[in-house]
Amino acid sequence: MSGAEDTPPDDPADDPGDDTPRPARSHGRVSIAAQAARQGNRPRDLMADPDAWTANVITLFPDAFPGVLGLSLTGRALALGLWRLESIDLRAFGVGKHRNVDDTPAGGGAGMVIRADVMAAALDRADPALPIIYLSPRGAPLTQARVRQLSQGPGVTLICGRFEGVDQRILDARGIEEISIGDYVLTGGELAAQVLIDAAVRLIPRVVGNQASLTEESFSEGLLEHPQYTRPSEWEGRRIPDVVMSGNHAAIAAWRREQAERLTKERRPDLWRAYEGRATGATMDPTKDRQLSGASHQAGQHPAHDKDEPR
């Protein structure tokens, strides 16, 4: 084993001699309801909705959650019970005196790999009704369409990778989907998990107050968003375009559409091709689209994890 993550925990509650897995941590309204129950009082407005959209997160760092998800709109929605968050500590399912979760790669190589049996035990603690996603640089790119699908379901179980990744056998055995948030490598999947959760939660009804804003942002119609402006009308010699200030709503809408199309053509030719393809019914070329999007090395040309960081 290598790295501080493989040392025995210092918390007495994590006594390495105790093989009993610790319970998953609940966040937001779930924990509030539990506290009220201990006090002999469970107000109706603090009781968790069992049908709320739920994110189960399997991680070696449960204290990373809710993180930024506990702030602003997502944090308020969590407190109101519009969605639920359960962090499952992978270390609790480790083996041996030190609760090891990883081992050396079969066939040799640098780093460590998370064991299939350990991950399987953690997954058994998650809601079996939820789809399972492993955050991985070799996964399919996360898209707004996939986020929307997830937001309309019961929730998701997310695996936060560390070290050199996860034993392929557990991914195959459980039919786990792999998703990437971009063509770069992080030290772990916790940030990626928070990105996916944030993107999905904001689409849940009542989370974002102005639902109309969701239909006007980037990717809602397959295009990047048009430029936005606000007061003052002139700043450092730069004026808001006259058409935007004209009060002619038809002209403003046409200008915004033109700008959205221009930006998409210039910055995301892959999105533009897909947009045109939907309009004309043309058959897409997946290989060319991956090249245009810069996603051609999602398929594994780059290492799944940073070899210089214990994960």
Side-chain angles (χ1 to χ4, degrees):
M1 301 301 160
S2 63
E5 295 170 5
D6 296 313
T7 59
D10 295 326
D11 190 335
D14 297 333
D15 180 4
D18 179 9
D19 292 330
T20 303
R22 290 169 290 166
R25 295 191 184 184
S26 298
H27 303 276
R29 205 160 108 173
V30 177
S31 60
I32 293 174
Q35 182 178 8
R38 287 195 299 270
Q39 296 172 348
N41 177 28
R42 294 187 65 185
R44 179 178 297 273
D45 63 342
L46 289 181
M47 294 177 65
D49 179 3
D51 297 324
W53 193 90
T54 300
N56 291 155
V57 183
I58 299 176
T59 173
L60 278 167
F61 298 99
D63 289 340
F65 295 87
V68 296
L69 298 171
L71 307 176
S72 189
L73 295 177
T74 52
R76 183 171 61 187
L78 182 62
L80 291 174
L82 298 181
W83 68 288
R84 301 171 62 241
L85 175 63
E86 299 282 344
S87 59
I88 300 173
D89 186 355
L90 182 63
R91 182 69 67 187
F93 303 92
V95 296
K97 183 175 69 172
H98 298 313
R99 296 190 186 277
N100 294 327
V101 302
D102 60 347
D103 211 326
T104 55
M112 308 295 284
V113 177
I114 294 178
R115 295 171 51 133
D117 53 349
V118 173
M119 183 57 68
L123 285 170
D124 287 343
R125 292 293 299 273
D127 187 340
L130 304 183
I132 305 172
I133 292 176
Y134 171 40
L135 285 312
S136 165
R138 72 180 187 183
L142 180 64
T143 65
Q144 188 68 12
R146 186 67 183 108
V147 166
R148 187 175 294 108
Q149 291 173 347
L150 291 171
S151 72
Q152 294 171 349
V156 64
T157 293
L158 300 175
I159 296 175
C160 299
R162 285 272 159 179
F163 311 109
E164 293 303 305
V166 178
D167 189 310
Q168 184 66 38
R169 291 173 295 179
I170 184 63
L171 303 179
D172 295 339
R174 301 294 179 92
I176 296 172
E177 178 183 3
E178 295 186 55
I179 284 183
S180 168
I181 64 167
D183 295 350
Y184 45 85
V185 179
L186 301 172
T187 56
E190 285 74 19
L191 289 174
Q194 293 193 21
V195 166
L196 187 151
I197 293 171
D198 182 278
V201 166
R202 64 191 303 276
L203 297 181
I204 297 173
R206 295 174 52 202
V207 172
V208 176
N210 183 5
Q211 291 293 307
S213 66
L214 297 178
T215 65
E216 298 174 357
E217 57 194 13
S218 290
F219 311 114
S220 60
E221 295 183 359
L223 297 172
L224 299 182
E225 189 176 14
H226 57 78
Q228 297 280 10
Y229 302 92
T230 188
R231 291 181 287 185
S233 59
E234 182 173 343
W235 174 77
E236 293 191 352
R238 299 172 181 268
R239 293 183 54 81
I240 297 176
D242 292 339
V243 64
V244 177
M245 303 294 288
S246 67
N248 185 331
H249 296 295
I252 293 172
W255 178 87
R256 286 175 171 173
R257 168 65 64 164
E258 176 186 337
Q259 292 297 308
E261 292 179 350
R262 177 185 63 81
L263 288 171
T264 305
K265 286 180 184 178
E266 292 176 357
R267 300 181 181 182
R268 292 293 302 273
D270 58 315
L271 289 180
W272 179 249
R273 275 176 44 81
Y275 177 75
E276 283 190 312
R278 285 194 298 272
T280 63
T283 302
M284 304 303 294
D285 181 347
T287 301
K288 187 171 183 180
D289 288 339
R290 284 196 299 270
Q291 292 171 345
L292 287 171
S293 67
S296 58
H297 58 282
Q298 290 283 356
Q301 295 180 16
H302 286 282
H305 299 289
D306 191 336
K307 294 185 180 299
D308 295 327
E309 291 289 340
R311 304 182 60 181

